[in-house]
Amino acid sequence: MGDLSVMETLHRMYFSLTALMFNGVLCIMIPIMDKDNSNRNRSFSTLVFTVFFGNLLTCITSFIRHADSIVIDPRYVYLAYLISCLANIYVTGFFSVYMESYFVDKHEPHPIVKTLNRAILIASPIAMAILFICKAAGIGLDPTTAAAEPWVRYLFGYAFELYFLLYTLIFFSRHTFLLNKRAFITALWGVVLTVGGIILQLLFPMILVNYVGASLALLLFYFGVETTDYRKLNKTLEELEVARESADRANQFKSEFLANMSHEIRTPINAVLGMNEMIIRESKDPQITEYAKDVENSGKNLLSIINDILDFSKIEAGRMEISESSYKLSQVIHDLTNLVKNRADEKGLELDLFIDETMPNDLYGDEVRLKQVVLNLLTNSVKYTEHGSVSLSVEGDAHDGILDLKIAVSDTGIGIRDEDKDKLFDQFTRVDVQHNRTIEGTGLGLAITHKLITMMGGSIEVESSYGVGSTFTITIPQKIMSDEPIGNITDRYARGSGAADMYRRKFSAPDAEVLVVDDTSMNIMVFKYLLKETEVKIDCANSAREAIIMSSQKKYDVIFMDQRMPHMDGTQALNEIRKQKDGKNTDTPMVCMTADAVEGARERYLNEGFDDYLTKPVEGDLLEDMLVKYLPRRKVISES
Ligand code: ADP
């Protein structure tokens, strides 16, 4: 029996009745929502309906319990109280389930806690039904009073609700870092409003407000993170994430494939070029030598295509790095002219050099990449010029310890049409295809050149008149190490040497002992041929195991070790040899020989303990340089 008039009871319920209207609107909106049948979708719908019915039941039971005009059996008032408690437990319980759904797949609650929560939700209505039966039948409970026993009030009126609220707060605060900003702010305010409503109810028992907070929270959730648009956006973002991951994986596979392909192609080219080098060195028949030179050219072209593809994939993957050190500009110019002189001679082209004699010679930058970009421009000029000349001009503008190195490569070749100039630096793009059909090329060279120059902080420009010739000018800032000028090197290098290709022994070392380890016997043969003139004594091992045994029996001056071998690779063999007890070769210099030329390979092998690194195909010249670098001075007889 109530203690308030009907109007007073209704006044008391104004807030909850308004909240009920909001709940009703949401209940209408829910079926219109995009159904994605996700956990979150289901738990939000359940929560909305639970809050609506919870609020409705609480309003009805409150009215029954408090309005004085309603005369009702105390047992039913008791039942109304139990129902409102149950509604509160369900609302807080489903609120926690909804919060859990934010972290589904990312963090699941502990199974024991999950079971306990579900058990409370299942056991509460059963327990209340039993309570009501006992009350109605007068078993242990007084059927004449409507007021609930204190333990019933504490347990069903407060304890379970508080438990669920506390659980939600702890679960939410422990995993908030998994949420995005928008979900975090919405969920935080949702929790604050729900808990706030319940606290307000405790502070002001005379007005019914505990559902107001929860209802506002639901509206916030609905417009914050549960609208169809937001869900679609989230779904799209998730799909994008999955697509990104699979693209990353595909890219990773591509890199591995390229690395493998490069390795597989380099290995046979090593044999082809190595054997061919022997033909060039030993043949007395000029016709045969000419054929062999053609083989060499094609082999080198093939290699440069592989190198371009590898470089390009490195740039694409963001793994290309500029590694700077000090170098001599004169050496760079010397190497460049040497590399291009023969090609120019073969086509009957003049190679002109214009070097500013006052430029500093000692610079600091990435010598290898600098050479690569200028060589690419020079080879293009030779490739796309039939008559006339190719010229290389190098000058510099020094300021504040920096030299703005300006390198121009000009030719009197086919030139480039104005409309093609913009496309020049695009990957895989070849311009003027009509004229260039017979000239080999991948359309990657200038794209790589452009990227490398940009990475070095420089720029490239092109001037060209179609049918007359082209000039590519690059400007790259390099640090100056000393002011010593480069001097007059033009005469020396422009002459070049047509005989640069003729093999000349640099040294001999008949007392030197070298071990070469490779599972491909053809590679060993090439290695032995390439060093034949140096007269060094060469032992061969066909596997890592054999190398370990041989190195335990004899002291070598240098060990050349292949990397990829079956059963045990080069690095493992190196470690075994290094840690041999009383080993004869624990500190012998070891050079890694590998067809693995991907970025970082050199650093990796040096880190693993090798003293140096040679890529296959092994060039005779480089091999001799490498050998003499590690041989004891007393064993080397120099030729010059
Ligand atoms: P490619 O492997 O085809 O030489 P590049 O990226 O080095 O690829 O060059 C792209 C295109 O630019 C070439 O196909 C050619 O048409 C044009 N090109 C480059 N250098 C010159 C040049 N010196 N003279 C005329 N055309 C050139």
Short mmCIF file of all heavy atoms in Angstrom, two decimals, residues 305 308 376-385 409-411 413-417 420 423-433 436 439-449 462 464 466 469-472, ligand 1:
data_model
loop_
_atom_site.label_atom_id
_atom_site.label_comp_id
_atom_site.label_asym_id
_atom_site.label_seq_id
_atom_site.Cartn_x
_atom_site.Cartn_y
_atom_site.Cartn_z
N ILE A 305 70.34 -6.18 -65.53
CA ILE A 305 68.87 -6.20 -65.45
C ILE A 305 68.45 -6.75 -64.08
O ILE A 305 67.60 -6.18 -63.40
CB ILE A 305 68.28 -7.05 -66.59
CG1 ILE A 305 68.51 -6.35 -67.93
CG2 ILE A 305 66.79 -7.28 -66.37
CD1 ILE A 305 68.11 -7.14 -69.14
N ASP A 308 69.02 -4.14 -61.51
CA ASP A 308 68.00 -3.08 -61.57
C ASP A 308 66.72 -3.53 -60.89
O ASP A 308 66.11 -2.80 -60.12
CB ASP A 308 67.69 -2.71 -63.03
CG ASP A 308 68.64 -1.64 -63.52
OD1 ASP A 308 69.50 -1.23 -62.73
OD2 ASP A 308 68.52 -1.24 -64.69
N ASN A 376 74.68 4.98 -65.11
CA ASN A 376 73.42 4.74 -65.80
C ASN A 376 73.19 5.80 -66.88
O ASN A 376 72.80 5.49 -68.01
CB ASN A 376 72.28 4.73 -64.79
CG ASN A 376 70.99 4.30 -65.43
OD1 ASN A 376 71.00 3.46 -66.32
ND2 ASN A 376 69.89 4.88 -65.02
N LEU A 377 73.49 7.07 -66.54
CA LEU A 377 73.31 8.14 -67.53
C LEU A 377 74.29 7.96 -68.69
O LEU A 377 73.94 8.12 -69.87
CB LEU A 377 73.53 9.51 -66.88
CG LEU A 377 72.54 9.87 -65.77
CD1 LEU A 377 72.86 11.24 -65.19
CD2 LEU A 377 71.10 9.86 -66.30
N LEU A 378 75.54 7.58 -68.34
CA LEU A 378 76.54 7.39 -69.40
C LEU A 378 76.17 6.23 -70.32
O LEU A 378 76.27 6.33 -71.54
CB LEU A 378 77.92 7.14 -68.76
CG LEU A 378 78.64 8.36 -68.20
CD1 LEU A 378 79.84 7.95 -67.36
CD2 LEU A 378 79.08 9.30 -69.33
N THR A 379 75.72 5.12 -69.70
CA THR A 379 75.37 3.96 -70.55
C THR A 379 74.17 4.29 -71.43
O THR A 379 74.12 3.89 -72.59
CB THR A 379 75.03 2.69 -69.72
OG1 THR A 379 75.06 3.02 -68.36
CG2 THR A 379 75.88 1.53 -69.98
N ASN A 380 73.20 5.02 -70.88
CA ASN A 380 72.06 5.44 -71.70
C ASN A 380 72.55 6.27 -72.88
O ASN A 380 72.12 6.06 -74.02
CB ASN A 380 71.09 6.28 -70.88
CG ASN A 380 70.04 5.41 -70.19
OD1 ASN A 380 70.02 4.20 -70.40
ND2 ASN A 380 69.20 6.02 -69.39
N SER A 381 73.45 7.22 -72.60
CA SER A 381 73.93 8.09 -73.67
C SER A 381 74.60 7.27 -74.77
O SER A 381 74.37 7.50 -75.95
CB SER A 381 74.91 9.12 -73.13
OG SER A 381 74.18 10.15 -72.54
N VAL A 382 75.42 6.30 -74.36
CA VAL A 382 76.08 5.46 -75.36
C VAL A 382 75.04 4.64 -76.12
O VAL A 382 75.08 4.51 -77.35
CB VAL A 382 77.14 4.54 -74.70
CG1 VAL A 382 77.70 3.56 -75.71
CG2 VAL A 382 78.25 5.37 -74.08
N LYS A 383 74.04 4.12 -75.34
CA LYS A 383 73.01 3.26 -75.93
C LYS A 383 72.20 4.01 -76.98
O LYS A 383 71.89 3.48 -78.04
CB LYS A 383 72.06 2.80 -74.82
CG LYS A 383 71.96 1.32 -74.70
CD LYS A 383 71.27 0.80 -73.46
CE LYS A 383 70.06 1.42 -72.92
NZ LYS A 383 69.42 0.64 -71.86
N TYR A 384 71.83 5.26 -76.66
CA TYR A 384 70.91 5.99 -77.54
C TYR A 384 71.63 6.97 -78.48
O TYR A 384 71.05 7.93 -78.93
CB TYR A 384 69.85 6.71 -76.69
CG TYR A 384 69.00 5.73 -75.90
CD1 TYR A 384 69.14 5.59 -74.53
CD2 TYR A 384 68.09 4.90 -76.56
CE1 TYR A 384 68.39 4.67 -73.81
CE2 TYR A 384 67.34 3.98 -75.85
CZ TYR A 384 67.49 3.87 -74.48
OH TYR A 384 66.74 2.95 -73.79
N THR A 385 72.94 6.74 -78.71
CA THR A 385 73.68 7.59 -79.65
C THR A 385 74.34 6.72 -80.71
O THR A 385 75.04 5.76 -80.36
CB THR A 385 74.77 8.41 -78.90
OG1 THR A 385 74.13 9.13 -77.86
CG2 THR A 385 75.48 9.38 -79.83
N VAL A 409 75.86 14.78 -68.22
CA VAL A 409 76.18 13.77 -69.23
C VAL A 409 75.44 14.19 -70.51
O VAL A 409 74.22 14.28 -70.53
CB VAL A 409 75.72 12.37 -68.78
CG1 VAL A 409 75.95 11.36 -69.88
CG2 VAL A 409 76.44 11.96 -67.50
N SER A 410 76.22 14.48 -71.56
CA SER A 410 75.60 14.95 -72.82
C SER A 410 75.89 13.97 -73.94
O SER A 410 76.91 13.28 -73.92
CB SER A 410 76.16 16.29 -73.24
OG SER A 410 76.10 17.18 -72.19
N ASP A 411 75.01 13.95 -74.90
CA ASP A 411 75.27 13.11 -76.07
C ASP A 411 74.71 13.75 -77.32
O ASP A 411 73.94 14.72 -77.25
CB ASP A 411 74.68 11.71 -75.86
CG ASP A 411 73.18 11.73 -75.68
OD1 ASP A 411 72.49 12.19 -76.60
OD2 ASP A 411 72.70 11.29 -74.61
N GLY A 413 72.89 12.09 -79.46
CA GLY A 413 72.07 10.92 -79.85
C GLY A 413 70.70 11.26 -80.38
O GLY A 413 70.47 12.37 -80.89
N ILE A 414 69.78 10.31 -80.18
CA ILE A 414 68.46 10.45 -80.82
C ILE A 414 67.59 11.53 -80.17
O ILE A 414 66.62 11.98 -80.76
CB ILE A 414 67.69 9.11 -80.80
CG1 ILE A 414 67.53 8.60 -79.37
CG2 ILE A 414 68.37 8.08 -81.68
CD1 ILE A 414 66.56 7.44 -79.25
N GLY A 415 67.94 11.94 -78.94
CA GLY A 415 67.16 13.00 -78.28
C GLY A 415 65.81 12.50 -77.78
O GLY A 415 65.42 11.35 -78.04
N ILE A 416 65.14 13.37 -77.07
CA ILE A 416 63.85 13.00 -76.46
C ILE A 416 62.82 14.05 -76.82
O ILE A 416 63.10 15.26 -76.72
CB ILE A 416 64.01 12.90 -74.93
CG1 ILE A 416 65.07 11.85 -74.57
CG2 ILE A 416 62.69 12.54 -74.25
CD1 ILE A 416 65.68 12.05 -73.22
N ARG A 417 61.65 13.61 -77.23
CA ARG A 417 60.59 14.57 -77.59
C ARG A 417 60.12 15.30 -76.33
O ARG A 417 60.10 14.72 -75.24
CB ARG A 417 59.39 13.81 -78.16
CG ARG A 417 59.62 13.25 -79.54
CD ARG A 417 58.27 12.87 -80.12
NE ARG A 417 58.40 12.27 -81.43
CZ ARG A 417 58.39 10.96 -81.65
NH1 ARG A 417 58.27 10.12 -80.64
NH2 ARG A 417 58.50 10.49 -82.87
N ASP A 420 57.64 13.62 -74.17
CA ASP A 420 58.07 12.40 -73.47
C ASP A 420 58.87 12.70 -72.20
O ASP A 420 59.10 11.82 -71.38
CB ASP A 420 58.94 11.53 -74.39
CG ASP A 420 58.11 10.86 -75.47
OD1 ASP A 420 56.90 10.67 -75.22
OD2 ASP A 420 58.66 10.53 -76.53
N LYS A 423 57.61 11.70 -68.79
CA LYS A 423 57.45 10.26 -68.51
C LYS A 423 58.78 9.55 -68.25
O LYS A 423 58.81 8.40 -67.84
CB LYS A 423 56.78 9.57 -69.71
CG LYS A 423 55.34 9.99 -69.92
CD LYS A 423 54.74 9.22 -71.08
CE LYS A 423 54.78 10.05 -72.35
NZ LYS A 423 54.50 9.39 -73.58
N LEU A 424 59.89 10.28 -68.51
CA LEU A 424 61.21 9.63 -68.47
C LEU A 424 61.49 8.87 -67.18
O LEU A 424 62.07 7.79 -67.18
CB LEU A 424 62.30 10.68 -68.62
CG LEU A 424 62.67 11.12 -70.02
CD1 LEU A 424 63.82 12.09 -69.94
CD2 LEU A 424 63.06 9.91 -70.85
N PHE A 425 61.08 9.49 -66.04
CA PHE A 425 61.47 8.91 -64.75
C PHE A 425 60.42 7.95 -64.20
O PHE A 425 60.53 7.50 -63.06
CB PHE A 425 61.77 10.03 -63.75
CG PHE A 425 62.85 10.95 -64.24
CD1 PHE A 425 62.57 12.23 -64.68
CD2 PHE A 425 64.16 10.49 -64.29
CE1 PHE A 425 63.57 13.06 -65.16
CE2 PHE A 425 65.17 11.31 -64.77
CZ PHE A 425 64.89 12.59 -65.21
N ASP A 426 59.40 7.65 -65.00
CA ASP A 426 58.40 6.67 -64.56
C ASP A 426 58.97 5.26 -64.70
O ASP A 426 59.67 4.97 -65.66
CB ASP A 426 57.12 6.77 -65.40
CG ASP A 426 56.41 8.09 -65.17
OD1 ASP A 426 56.79 8.78 -64.21
OD2 ASP A 426 55.51 8.42 -65.96
N GLN A 427 58.59 4.41 -63.71
CA GLN A 427 59.12 3.04 -63.78
C GLN A 427 58.56 2.27 -64.99
O GLN A 427 57.43 2.50 -65.40
CB GLN A 427 58.76 2.28 -62.50
CG GLN A 427 57.29 2.11 -62.29
CD GLN A 427 56.95 2.25 -60.83
OE1 GLN A 427 57.51 3.07 -60.13
NE2 GLN A 427 56.04 1.43 -60.36
N PHE A 428 59.36 1.40 -65.52
CA PHE A 428 59.02 0.53 -66.65
C PHE A 428 58.56 1.31 -67.89
O PHE A 428 57.86 0.77 -68.72
CB PHE A 428 57.92 -0.49 -66.28
CG PHE A 428 58.31 -1.37 -65.13
CD1 PHE A 428 57.69 -1.25 -63.89
CD2 PHE A 428 59.31 -2.32 -65.27
CE1 PHE A 428 58.06 -2.05 -62.82
CE2 PHE A 428 59.68 -3.13 -64.21
CZ PHE A 428 59.06 -2.99 -62.99
N THR A 429 58.92 2.61 -67.96
CA THR A 429 58.48 3.38 -69.12
C THR A 429 59.65 3.62 -70.07
O THR A 429 60.70 4.12 -69.68
CB THR A 429 57.92 4.76 -68.68
OG1 THR A 429 56.84 4.52 -67.80
CG2 THR A 429 57.44 5.55 -69.88
N ARG A 430 59.44 3.22 -71.30
CA ARG A 430 60.43 3.49 -72.34
C ARG A 430 59.76 4.43 -73.31
O ARG A 430 58.62 4.22 -73.71
CB ARG A 430 60.85 2.20 -73.04
CG ARG A 430 61.25 1.10 -72.07
CD ARG A 430 62.05 0.05 -72.77
NE ARG A 430 63.31 0.59 -73.25
CZ ARG A 430 63.98 0.10 -74.29
NH1 ARG A 430 63.48 -0.90 -74.97
NH2 ARG A 430 65.13 0.63 -74.67
N VAL A 431 60.47 5.50 -73.69
CA VAL A 431 59.82 6.44 -74.60
C VAL A 431 60.32 6.21 -76.02
O VAL A 431 61.30 5.50 -76.24
CB VAL A 431 60.03 7.91 -74.14
CG1 VAL A 431 59.42 8.13 -72.77
CG2 VAL A 431 61.51 8.27 -74.13
N ASP A 432 59.63 6.81 -76.97
CA ASP A 432 60.00 6.71 -78.38
C ASP A 432 60.23 5.25 -78.80
O ASP A 432 61.26 4.90 -79.38
CB ASP A 432 61.29 7.54 -78.61
CG ASP A 432 61.44 7.93 -80.06
OD1 ASP A 432 60.52 7.63 -80.85
OD2 ASP A 432 62.47 8.52 -80.42
N VAL A 433 59.26 4.43 -78.46
CA VAL A 433 59.42 2.98 -78.63
C VAL A 433 59.72 2.61 -80.09
O VAL A 433 60.47 1.67 -80.36
CB VAL A 433 58.16 2.24 -78.14
CG1 VAL A 433 58.37 0.75 -78.11
CG2 VAL A 433 57.79 2.73 -76.75
N ASN A 436 63.38 2.90 -80.49
CA ASN A 436 64.20 2.15 -79.52
C ASN A 436 63.95 0.66 -79.51
O ASN A 436 64.52 -0.05 -78.67
CB ASN A 436 63.93 2.66 -78.09
CG ASN A 436 64.35 4.09 -77.96
OD1 ASN A 436 65.14 4.57 -78.76
ND2 ASN A 436 63.82 4.78 -76.96
N ILE A 439 66.85 -1.51 -79.17
CA ILE A 439 67.81 -1.26 -78.08
C ILE A 439 67.29 -1.90 -76.80
O ILE A 439 66.13 -1.68 -76.41
CB ILE A 439 68.00 0.26 -77.87
CG1 ILE A 439 68.39 0.90 -79.21
CG2 ILE A 439 69.03 0.54 -76.80
CD1 ILE A 439 68.50 2.41 -79.18
N GLU A 440 68.16 -2.70 -76.18
CA GLU A 440 67.72 -3.41 -74.97
C GLU A 440 67.45 -2.44 -73.82
O GLU A 440 68.17 -1.46 -73.66
CB GLU A 440 68.82 -4.36 -74.49
CG GLU A 440 68.92 -5.62 -75.31
CD GLU A 440 70.14 -6.43 -74.90
OE1 GLU A 440 70.67 -6.21 -73.80
OE2 GLU A 440 70.54 -7.28 -75.71
N GLY A 441 66.46 -2.72 -73.00
CA GLY A 441 66.20 -1.86 -71.84
C GLY A 441 64.94 -2.28 -71.14
O GLY A 441 64.06 -2.91 -71.73
N THR A 442 64.86 -1.95 -69.85
CA THR A 442 63.68 -2.32 -69.07
C THR A 442 62.83 -1.12 -68.70
O THR A 442 61.72 -1.24 -68.21
CB THR A 442 64.11 -2.98 -67.73
OG1 THR A 442 65.01 -2.07 -67.09
CG2 THR A 442 64.76 -4.31 -67.94
N GLY A 443 63.39 0.08 -68.89
CA GLY A 443 62.66 1.29 -68.49
C GLY A 443 62.75 1.51 -66.98
O GLY A 443 61.98 2.27 -66.40
N LEU A 444 63.70 0.85 -66.34
CA LEU A 444 63.83 1.02 -64.88
C LEU A 444 64.97 1.97 -64.50
O LEU A 444 64.95 2.59 -63.45
CB LEU A 444 64.13 -0.34 -64.23
CG LEU A 444 62.94 -1.21 -63.88
CD1 LEU A 444 63.41 -2.52 -63.29
CD2 LEU A 444 62.02 -0.50 -62.89
N GLY A 445 65.98 2.04 -65.39
CA GLY A 445 67.21 2.77 -65.06
C GLY A 445 66.99 4.18 -64.56
O GLY A 445 67.47 4.55 -63.49
N LEU A 446 66.23 4.98 -65.33
CA LEU A 446 66.05 6.38 -64.93
C LEU A 446 65.17 6.51 -63.69
O LEU A 446 65.36 7.42 -62.88
CB LEU A 446 65.48 7.20 -66.08
CG LEU A 446 66.49 7.57 -67.18
CD1 LEU A 446 65.84 8.41 -68.25
CD2 LEU A 446 67.68 8.33 -66.60
N ALA A 447 64.20 5.58 -63.53
CA ALA A 447 63.36 5.62 -62.32
C ALA A 447 64.24 5.40 -61.09
O ALA A 447 64.12 6.12 -60.08
CB ALA A 447 62.27 4.56 -62.41
N ILE A 448 65.14 4.42 -61.17
CA ILE A 448 66.05 4.15 -60.03
C ILE A 448 66.98 5.35 -59.83
O ILE A 448 67.17 5.82 -58.70
CB ILE A 448 66.86 2.87 -60.29
CG1 ILE A 448 65.93 1.65 -60.34
CG2 ILE A 448 67.93 2.67 -59.22
CD1 ILE A 448 66.59 0.38 -60.78
N THR A 449 67.54 5.84 -60.94
CA THR A 449 68.45 7.00 -60.85
C THR A 449 67.76 8.16 -60.13
O THR A 449 68.32 8.74 -59.19
CB THR A 449 68.84 7.44 -62.29
OG1 THR A 449 69.46 6.35 -62.92
CG2 THR A 449 69.77 8.62 -62.27
N VAL A 462 66.73 17.42 -67.28
CA VAL A 462 67.06 16.95 -68.61
C VAL A 462 66.74 18.03 -69.64
O VAL A 462 65.72 18.71 -69.57
CB VAL A 462 66.33 15.61 -68.91
CG1 VAL A 462 64.85 15.72 -68.68
CG2 VAL A 462 66.58 15.16 -70.34
N SER A 464 66.83 18.38 -73.90
CA SER A 464 67.02 17.53 -75.07
C SER A 464 66.33 18.12 -76.28
O SER A 464 65.26 18.71 -76.17
CB SER A 464 66.47 16.14 -74.75
OG SER A 464 66.72 15.28 -75.81
N TYR A 466 64.99 16.76 -79.94
CA TYR A 466 64.75 15.50 -80.63
C TYR A 466 65.60 15.45 -81.90
O TYR A 466 65.60 16.37 -82.72
CB TYR A 466 63.26 15.39 -80.96
CG TYR A 466 62.88 14.02 -81.42
CD1 TYR A 466 63.13 12.92 -80.61
CD2 TYR A 466 62.27 13.82 -82.64
CE1 TYR A 466 62.79 11.64 -81.02
CE2 TYR A 466 61.93 12.55 -83.06
CZ TYR A 466 62.20 11.47 -82.26
OH TYR A 466 61.87 10.21 -82.66
N GLY A 469 70.24 15.63 -79.64
CA GLY A 469 70.99 15.11 -78.50
C GLY A 469 70.37 15.50 -77.17
O GLY A 469 69.40 16.26 -77.14
N SER A 470 70.93 14.94 -76.09
CA SER A 470 70.36 15.19 -74.76
C SER A 470 71.45 15.51 -73.76
O SER A 470 72.60 15.09 -73.91
CB SER A 470 69.64 13.94 -74.23
OG SER A 470 68.92 13.32 -75.25
N THR A 471 71.06 16.24 -72.71
CA THR A 471 71.97 16.49 -71.58
C THR A 471 71.20 16.22 -70.30
O THR A 471 70.16 16.82 -70.05
CB THR A 471 72.47 17.95 -71.57
OG1 THR A 471 73.11 18.20 -72.80
CG2 THR A 471 73.43 18.17 -70.42
N PHE A 472 71.71 15.29 -69.52
CA PHE A 472 71.15 15.02 -68.18
C PHE A 472 72.11 15.66 -67.19
O PHE A 472 73.30 15.37 -67.20
CB PHE A 472 71.06 13.51 -67.91
CG PHE A 472 69.95 12.84 -68.68
CD1 PHE A 472 70.12 12.44 -70.00
CD2 PHE A 472 68.73 12.58 -68.07
CE1 PHE A 472 69.10 11.83 -70.70
CE2 PHE A 472 67.70 11.96 -68.75
CZ PHE A 472 67.89 11.58 -70.08
P1 ADP B 1 65.97 1.82 -70.49
O1 ADP B 1 66.30 0.55 -69.78
O2 ADP B 1 64.84 1.66 -71.46
O3 ADP B 1 67.14 2.52 -71.03
P2 ADP B 1 65.72 4.10 -68.70
O4 ADP B 1 64.82 4.29 -67.54
O5 ADP B 1 67.20 4.20 -68.47
O6 ADP B 1 65.32 2.71 -69.33
O7 ADP B 1 65.31 5.16 -69.79
C1 ADP B 1 63.96 5.37 -70.10
C2 ADP B 1 63.79 5.84 -71.52
O8 ADP B 1 64.32 7.15 -71.66
C3 ADP B 1 64.55 5.01 -72.54
O9 ADP B 1 63.78 3.91 -72.95
C4 ADP B 1 64.80 5.99 -73.67
O10 ADP B 1 63.69 6.02 -74.53
C5 ADP B 1 64.88 7.33 -72.95
N1 ADP B 1 66.29 7.79 -72.79
C6 ADP B 1 67.06 7.66 -71.68
N2 ADP B 1 68.27 8.22 -71.85
C7 ADP B 1 68.27 8.72 -73.12
C8 ADP B 1 69.24 9.41 -73.90
N3 ADP B 1 70.46 9.71 -73.43
N4 ADP B 1 68.88 9.76 -75.17
C9 ADP B 1 67.66 9.47 -75.64
N5 ADP B 1 66.70 8.82 -74.95
C10 ADP B 1 67.01 8.44 -73.71
#
